[in-house]
């Protein structure tokens, strides 16, 4: 048994009583999100309800999941915590470091060879510290978690922003930085600002070309990439109950694209079926026993406006398929309007590649619906016009899909089945293109489509849709094709139409797998050596960051004033840099190289104030560091949106940047900055962003009185001799101020463990 049934029993044993007391304490019926949150408090229930979007609260998550890219740094940090075993059940999943090139078998063999030192490190460190290890090829973290570990009413954190996928099985599952995972594995509480609640009431029933993916594509269009910030999105209503469990997972997965803390659904019969179908009848039986507690109270769902901070209603019966993009996942266009949008905006109409799968959309249901379209292409003698790839989410799904003939259909259609890994979704894609300068379109069933994410090419217009729409578009090879209304010319010169996709939620013969790729850790790892190769380019043991000296930071230079969108991809680019995730100094050479410099509109090219020359951010910053000069980063709205990678906070810290001052932060990144001992602050008056000039020298005026709730003032000394004073806000509480004082959260944990 892979999952930890004793832990789940413990959670369920306390769940009903905690819910009852929380209901009494709040004096109102409760949403599912509140039930899970109040059940997982670190210190028992408070005397009065927490302020949603206000109170910082300590939680005790049930599990931790880590993917290979983020696990390296998390485990390098955990190694220093002094513990013998992780404090809660934890797993590592090798999925991000496998580059898609020619197909599953070869790509996997290449990855195992290229990244062997990382995989060896992760396997040995997992084995030593009681952490389950999923080898390369076993699957994508979120699909493996959904199939094996997620359970209704549970709380988990994961070092990946799409950890939220587990909401499909009724969890509160939250993407965090590696430093948060370290806290939980080290037996410390995990802190989160008590989220606001957004209710999405689903009525009606999906039909025809519309899929679960379209629910979240629509929601992303309504809420935008910022609309879910600081909130849990809770789906409910008769429409919610009609969706398959994996469809719910898809919706929750892409909740990361609206910045939501997480998304979740109440326990229902679809979840029970999925648990039983994936070998977890015992959990389904336990959940059935407390089913009424594992969903929101009826009064909440009957009068959602009274209990949620915001309510959205979507009728699944009238919902259209959507295509979102390019360049941002919230640019939502209904399929019927998409052809016109392609023409109006001058997006490349020729579709070059269609890609299905990923952690977002690789369920059995997804594959059967897409395979149904693929079969039609074969039967109707249609020549597939675009390249087409399939990324299964797990070995279990792949094996089952192969057994049931689904992969043969993709193969017959001309598709390539890639390894059970992230591949093109995270830029691990050796794309075959004859001209990288050509504007081009691709469409994926993935979740994120920021510029350069998939293939590193800024000319690629990446769109996101359901797998069945992607498959249909790949057959047509034309972004203006609407499979609901248009016909295609086949090889016989006839006009043919694609019929509506049909799928099967669960494999009729059950899931099967020969080798799922799981390695159980040693029960006592004290004699196991952690493998870190000598002189490695990819792994480096960490040195603690320096503690703060309690004084103001003076003489800072402006390293960059970032203009517009500055995601974690802009701060610490993925793609080829993923290989340095375990080596802080090496990966720091990509720091902010994707951020647009306000003063010259160039990516990552900034003025070295000591020489007047322009250079890359890391080069200029290393020059400042060598000269003992601190620096500050200034940014725009939603700074650090995107993935959970703490490298985006560690690298600036390692290079000697001290402060990040922005109009607003994405939640995970703000926390990561705090964990790494950086000062992440926001403009009190956003217009002050304009006051920063390229040659400014900046001092903090009252950081030496750093306190919870007290603003921090900066003085900007401009090169013409004039000065500006600006006031900044911060959200540090007392323990976070202690992290800052100690130099990082880890320094504080270590000191506390010693004490
Ligand atoms: S979103 Fe893409 S990169 Fe992230 S876990 Fe899923 S498949 Fe992997």
């Amino acid at each position: 048994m892979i999952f930890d049934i004793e832990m789940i029993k413990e959670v369920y044993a306390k769940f009903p009583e905690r819910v009852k007391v929380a209901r009494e304490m709040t004096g109102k019926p409760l949403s599912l999100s509140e039930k899970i949150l109040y059940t997982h408090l670190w210190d028992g229930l408070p005397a009065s309800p927490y302020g949603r979007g206000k109170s910082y609260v300590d939680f005790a998550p049930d599990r931790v999941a880590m993917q290979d890219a983020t696990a390296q740094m998390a485990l390098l940090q955990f190694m220093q915590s002094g513990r013998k075993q992780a404090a809660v059940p934890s797993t590592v999943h090798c999925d991000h470091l496998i580059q898609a090139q020619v197909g599953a078998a070869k790509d996997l063999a290449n990855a195992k060879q290229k990244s062997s030192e990382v995989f060896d490190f992760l396997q040995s460190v997992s084995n030593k510290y009681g952490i389950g290890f999923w080898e390369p090829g076993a699957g994508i973290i979120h699909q493996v978690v959904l199939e094996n570990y997620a359970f209704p009413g549970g709380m988990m954190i994961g070092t990946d922003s799409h950890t939220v996928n587990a909401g499909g099985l009724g969890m509160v599952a939250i993407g965090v930085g590696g430093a948060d995972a370290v806290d939980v594995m080290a037996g410390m509480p995990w802190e989160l600002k008590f989220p606001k609640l957004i209710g999405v009431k689903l009525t009606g029933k999906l039909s025809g070309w519309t899929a679960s993916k379209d629910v979240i594509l629509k929601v992303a269009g309504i809420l935008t990439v910022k609309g879910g910030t600081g909130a849990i999105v809770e789906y409910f209503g008769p429409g919610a109950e009609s969706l398959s469990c994996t469809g719910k997972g898809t919706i929750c997965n892409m909740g990361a694209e609206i910045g939501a803390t997480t998304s979740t659904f109440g326990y229902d019969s679809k979840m029970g079926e999925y648990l039983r179908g994936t070998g977890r009848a015992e959990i389904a039986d336990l959940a059935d026993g407390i089913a009424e507690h594992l969903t929101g109270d009826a009064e909440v769902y009957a009068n959602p406006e009274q209990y949620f901070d915001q309510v959205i209603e979507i009728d699944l019966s009238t919902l259209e398929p959507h295509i979102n993009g390019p360049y941002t996942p919230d640019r939502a266009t209904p399929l019927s309007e998409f052809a016109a949008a392609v023409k109006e905006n001058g997006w490349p109409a020729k579709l070059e590649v269609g890609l299905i799968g990923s952690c977002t959309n690789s369920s059995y249901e997804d594959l059967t619906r897409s395979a149904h379209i693929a079969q039609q292409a074969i039967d109707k003698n249609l020549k597939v016009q675009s390249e087409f790839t399939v990324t299964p989410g797990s070995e279990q799904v792949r094996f089952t899909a192969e057994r049931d003939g689904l992969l043969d259909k993709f193969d017959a259609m001309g598709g390539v089945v890639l390894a059970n890994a992230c591949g093109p979704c995270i830029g691990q894609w050796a794309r075959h293109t004859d001209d990288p300068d050509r504007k081009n379109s691709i469409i994926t069933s993935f979740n994120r489509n920021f510029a350069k994410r998939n293939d590193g090419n800024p000319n690629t217009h990446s769109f996101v849709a359901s797998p069945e729409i992607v498959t249909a578009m790949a057959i047509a090879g034309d972004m203006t094709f609407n499979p609901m209304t248009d016909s295609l010319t086949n090889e016989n010169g006839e006009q043919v139409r694609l019929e509506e996709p049909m799928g099967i939620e669960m494999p009729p013969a059950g899931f099967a797998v020969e080798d799922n790729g799981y390695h159980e850790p040693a029960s006592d790892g004290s004699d196991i050596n952690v493998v870190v190769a000598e002189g490695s380019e990819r792994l480096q043991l960490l040195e603690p960051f320096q503690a703060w000296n309690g004084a103001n930071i003076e003489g800072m230079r402006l390293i960059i004033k970032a203009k517009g969108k500055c995601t974690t991809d802009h701060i610490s680019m993925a793609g080829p840099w993923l290989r340095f995730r375990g080596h802080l100094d090496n990966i720091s050479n990509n720091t902010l190289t994707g951020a647009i410099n306000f003063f010259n509109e160039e990516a990552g090219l900034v003025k070295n104030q000591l020489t007047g020359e322009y250079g890359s951010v890391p080069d200029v910053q290393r020059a400042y560091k060598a000269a003992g000069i601190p620096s500050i980063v200034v940014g725009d709205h939603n700074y650090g949106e995107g993935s959970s990678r703490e490298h985006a906070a560690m690298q600036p810290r390692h290079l000697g940047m001290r402060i990040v001052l922005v109009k607003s932060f994405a939640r995970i990144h703000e926390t990561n900055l705090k964990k790494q001992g950086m000062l992440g602050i926001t403009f009190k008056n956003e217009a002050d962003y304009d006051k920063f000039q390229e040659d400014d020298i900046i001092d903090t005026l009252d950081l030496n009185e750093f306190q919870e709730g007290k603003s921090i003032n900066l003085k900007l000394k401009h090169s013409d001799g004039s000065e500006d004073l600006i006031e900044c806000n911060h959200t540090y509480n007392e323990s976070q101020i202690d992290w800052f004082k100690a130099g990082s959260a880890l320094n504080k944990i270590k000191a506390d463990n010693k004490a």
Side-chain angles (χ1 to χ4, degrees), residues 59-374:
F59 290 100
D62 304 313
R63 310 195 54 87
V64 173
M66 291 164 280
Q67 43 100 327
D68 49 0
T70 48
Q72 295 168 53
M73 194 54 85
L75 291 170
L76 283 164
Q77 294 178 85
F78 174 76
M79 283 172 71
Q80 300 188 34
S81 73
R83 283 192 74 98
K84 287 196 158 170
Q85 292 234 317
V88 302
S90 304
T91 48
V92 167
H93 304 259
C94 297
D95 55 1
H96 277 58
L97 299 179
I98 299 162
Q99 191 188 45
Q101 195 164 11
V102 287
K106 271 203 172 151
D107 293 348
L108 190 56
N110 281 344
K112 281 184 177 170
Q113 201 203 353
K114 257 168 83 180
S115 295
S116 62
E117 60 179 307
V118 174
F119 297 141
D120 290 348
F121 164 70
L122 291 175
Q123 184 162 2
S124 60
V125 76
S126 299
N127 199 13
K128 184 172 180 68
Y129 294 107
I131 296 166
F133 178 73
W134 291 81
E135 68 181 26
I140 305 172
I141 176 169
H142 311 304
Q143 182 67 25
V144 173
V145 165
L146 196 72
E147 287 174 6
N148 295 282
Y149 299 117
F151 66 97
M155 176 187 264
M156 72 177 281
I157 60 164
T159 58
D160 187 279
S161 35
H162 294 98
T163 301
V164 294
N165 188 70
L169 251 175
M171 285 195 110
V172 161
I174 300 178
V176 297
D180 287 15
V182 176
D183 287 356
V184 175
M185 289 191 295
M188 310 276 285
W190 170 66
E191 191 188 65
L192 177 75
K193 198 191 256 188
F194 202 85
K196 292 191 205 158
L197 299 175
I198 297 175
V200 180
K201 181 174 182 182
L202 300 178
T203 59
K205 203 168 187 313
L206 293 176
S207 64
W209 283 92
T210 310
S212 296
K213 183 67 164 279
D214 298 303
V215 176
I216 186 60
L217 294 177
K218 169 90 180 166
V219 169
I222 296 169
L223 286 175
T224 78
V225 289
K226 286 184 241 163
T229 307
I232 296 184
V233 182
E234 183 167 327
Y235 292 84
F236 62 94
E241 285 163 30
S242 73
L243 299 171
S244 66
C245 178
T246 50
K248 291 177 171 88
T250 297
I251 293 170
C252 293
N253 178 297
M254 222 183 130
E257 275 47 68
I258 53 169
T261 302
T262 192
S263 309
T264 196
F265 283 81
Y267 179 64
D268 61 19
S269 59
K270 298 281 189 184
M271 293 187 195
E273 275 165 33
Y274 186 72
L275 285 169
R276 289 176 203 285
T278 49
R280 291 173 288 170
E282 206 175 338
I283 301 178
D285 291 342
L286 289 171
D288 286 343
I290 59 162
E292 65 183 286
H293 302 294
L294 297 175
T295 188
D297 287 341
E299 300 92 312
V300 172
Y301 292 164
N303 302 294
E305 293 76 13
Q306 287 178 27
Y307 300 104
F308 289 99
D309 298 293
Q310 184 181 353
V311 178
I312 294 168
E313 188 164 337
I314 295 174
D315 178 4
L316 301 182
S317 302
T318 58
L319 180 66
E320 247 196 87
H322 278 64
I323 297 180
N324 288 20
Y327 299 126
T328 186
D330 59 354
R331 185 168 189 170
T333 309
L335 184 59
S336 60
E337 296 165 25
F338 191 72
V342 169
K343 288 174 198 154
E344 235 166 67
N345 294 294
W347 298 332
K350 180 173 184 292
L351 173 61
E352 300 202 5
V353 195
L355 306 98
I356 67 165
S358 87
C359 66
T360 322
N361 272 118
S362 58
S363 65
Y364 191 80
E365 183 183 28
D366 289 330
L367 294 181
T368 49
R369 281 172 68 86
S370 297
H372 180 246
I373 304 291

Side-chain angles (χ1 to χ4, degrees), residues 528-598:
I528 291 166
N529 289 323
V530 175
V531 182
V532 179
E534 186 81 15
S536 169
E537 276 197 330
R538 299 184 64 179
L539 291 163
Q540 178 191 40
L541 293 174
L542 293 173
E543 293 291 330
F545 291 129
Q546 240 183 7
W548 175 48
N549 62 7
N552 277 308
I553 306 172
E554 294 179 340
M556 281 181 288
R557 306 300 167 120
L558 177 65
I559 180 67
I560 189 167
K561 175 161 146 178
K563 183 179 176 190
K565 207 182 248 301
C566 191
T567 70
T568 45
D569 281 344
H570 295 92
I571 304 169
S572 175
M573 209 168 275
W577 292 95
L578 281 172
R579 62 192 306 269
F580 299 121
R581 280 292 173 83
H583 198 296
L584 184 56
D585 194 52
N586 285 347
I587 199 172
S588 293
N589 290 330
N590 77 0
T591 307
L592 283 157
T593 48
I596 302 299
N597 180 359
F598 175 89

Side-chain angles (χ1 to χ4, degrees), residues 308-622:
F308 289 99
D309 298 293
Q310 184 181 353
V311 178
I312 294 168
E313 188 164 337
I314 295 174
D315 178 4
L316 301 182
S317 302
T318 58
L319 180 66
E320 247 196 87
H322 278 64
I323 297 180
N324 288 20
Y327 299 126
T328 186
D330 59 354
R331 185 168 189 170
T333 309
L335 184 59
S336 60
E337 296 165 25
F338 191 72
V342 169
K343 288 174 198 154
E344 235 166 67
N345 294 294
W347 298 332
K350 180 173 184 292
L351 173 61
E352 300 202 5
V353 195
L355 306 98
I356 67 165
S358 87
C359 66
T360 322
N361 272 118
S362 58
S363 65
Y364 191 80
E365 183 183 28
D366 289 330
L367 294 181
T368 49
R369 281 172 68 86
S370 297
H372 180 246
I373 304 291
Q375 185 64 49
Q376 292 183 53
I378 301 159
D379 295 345
K380 298 182 187 201
N381 205 15
L382 280 162
K383 182 162 183 267
V384 178
Q385 302 295 323
S386 307
E387 277 183 58
F388 183 69
T389 68
V390 184
T391 311
S394 73
E395 176 57 12
Q396 177 163 276
V397 156
R398 192 210 62 78
F399 188 94
T400 309
E402 184 175 51
R403 179 201 65 191
D404 294 352
L406 304 178
L407 299 188
D408 284 346
K409 296 183 190 192
F410 296 130
D411 189 43
M413 170 188 155
V416 176
V417 179
L418 301 172
N420 312 318
C422 302
C425 181
I426 190 66
Q428 289 279 57
W429 186 22
R431 186 176 163 193
H432 326 115
T433 175
D434 50 352
D435 177 11
D437 295 331
R438 178 180 61 230
K439 277 182 157 194
N440 70 93
S441 288
I442 64 171
I443 186 166
T444 80
S445 72
F446 310 160
N447 41 33
R448 201 159 268 181
N449 58 352
F450 300 130
K452 302 199 267 186
R453 174 165 170 105
N454 302 119
D455 62 359
N457 183 352
N459 297 308
T460 297
H461 293 55
S462 176
F463 297 88
V464 180
S466 69
E468 44 273 58
I469 291 292
V470 171
T471 310
M473 300 301 262
I475 293 168
D478 181 355
M479 293 301 291
T480 64
F481 175 63
N482 179 349
M484 293 175 76
T485 54
D486 300 346
S487 54
L488 295 166
T489 310
N490 72 3
E491 292 293 88
N492 316 335
E494 299 155 346
Q495 292 294 298
V496 293
R497 294 271 302 268
L498 295 172
E499 289 150 30
E500 291 175 350
M502 291 200 305
I504 306 169
E505 284 180 23
M506 300 286 287
F511 282 108
V513 65
E514 256 169 21
D515 176 4
N516 62 7
Y518 175 68
H519 298 256
E520 182 81 18
S523 49
D524 176 3
S526 18
D527 292 338
I528 291 166
N529 289 323
V530 175
V531 182
V532 179
E534 186 81 15
S536 169
E537 276 197 330
R538 299 184 64 179
L539 291 163
Q540 178 191 40
L541 293 174
L542 293 173
E543 293 291 330
F545 291 129
Q546 240 183 7
W548 175 48
N549 62 7
N552 277 308
I553 306 172
E554 294 179 340
M556 281 181 288
R557 306 300 167 120
L558 177 65
I559 180 67
I560 189 167
K561 175 161 146 178
K563 183 179 176 190
K565 207 182 248 301
C566 191
T567 70
T568 45
D569 281 344
H570 295 92
I571 304 169
S572 175
M573 209 168 275
W577 292 95
L578 281 172
R579 62 192 306 269
F580 299 121
R581 280 292 173 83
H583 198 296
L584 184 56
D585 194 52
N586 285 347
I587 199 172
S588 293
N589 290 330
N590 77 0
T591 307
L592 283 157
T593 48
I596 302 299
N597 180 359
F598 175 89
F599 299 104
N600 60 9
E601 307 261 333
E602 300 258 10
L605 191 69
V606 294
K607 185 172 178 182
N608 179 337
Q609 291 188 43
L610 305 178
T611 62
E613 312 260 304
Y614 281 80
S616 73
V617 172
D619 284 351
V620 172
Q621 180 58 36
R622 284 187 196 274

Side-chain angles (χ1 to χ4, degrees), residues 16 56 91 668:
Y56 283 92
T91 48
I668 295 177

